[in-house]
């Protein structure tokens, strides 16, 4: 996990790498099966859908609503 500023939450939060299903959703949204998603991180606050590249918020986005109910991982 990393700690970054979340554009949606407006505060510093823990982020984790996108899982396989989330990466697939971003590729589908971008309509490009080759879109690079291995450097995308997601805010772990319950209900937050924001994801972004490792070093900046530019290039980030919002995951589909179906990911909203995911709780933050323990630990």
């Amino acid at each position: 996990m990393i700690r970054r500023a979340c554009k949606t939450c407006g505060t510093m939060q823990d982020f984790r790498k996108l899982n396989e299903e989330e990466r697939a959703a971003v590729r589908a949204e971008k309509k490009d099966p080759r879109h690079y998603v291995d450097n995308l991180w997601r805010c772990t606050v319950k209900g937050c859908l924001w994801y972004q590249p490792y070093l900046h918020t530019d290039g980030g986005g919002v995951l589909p609503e179906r990911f909203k109910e995911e709780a933050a991982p323990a630990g």
Side-chain angles (χ1 to χ4, degrees):
M1 276 204 216
I2 61 170
R3 192 134 178 101
R4 295 281 184 244
C6 176
K7 202 171 196 178
T8 303
C9 296
T11 57
M12 296 295 284
Q13 299 295 338
D14 289 330
F15 278 68
R16 62 160 177 79
K17 280 194 162 190
L18 295 184
N19 65 33
E20 188 174 327
E21 188 178 354
E22 293 162 341
R23 289 192 306 267
V26 171
R27 281 190 180 113
E29 175 189 323
K30 302 292 184 185
K31 296 177 176 53
D32 182 357
R34 296 173 296 157
H35 183 76
Y36 186 71
V37 294
D38 292 339
N39 192 32
L40 296 177
W41 295 72
R42 179 189 176 166
C43 178
T44 60
V45 171
K46 184 174 182 174
C48 185
L49 297 170
W50 181 253
Y51 69 87
Q52 66 189 42
Y54 180 74
L55 292 175
H56 52 81
T57 58
D58 293 339
V62 178
L63 290 167
E65 286 290 318
R66 71 178 186 262
F67 296 106
K68 193 167 197 160
E69 294 305 316
E70 180 180 304

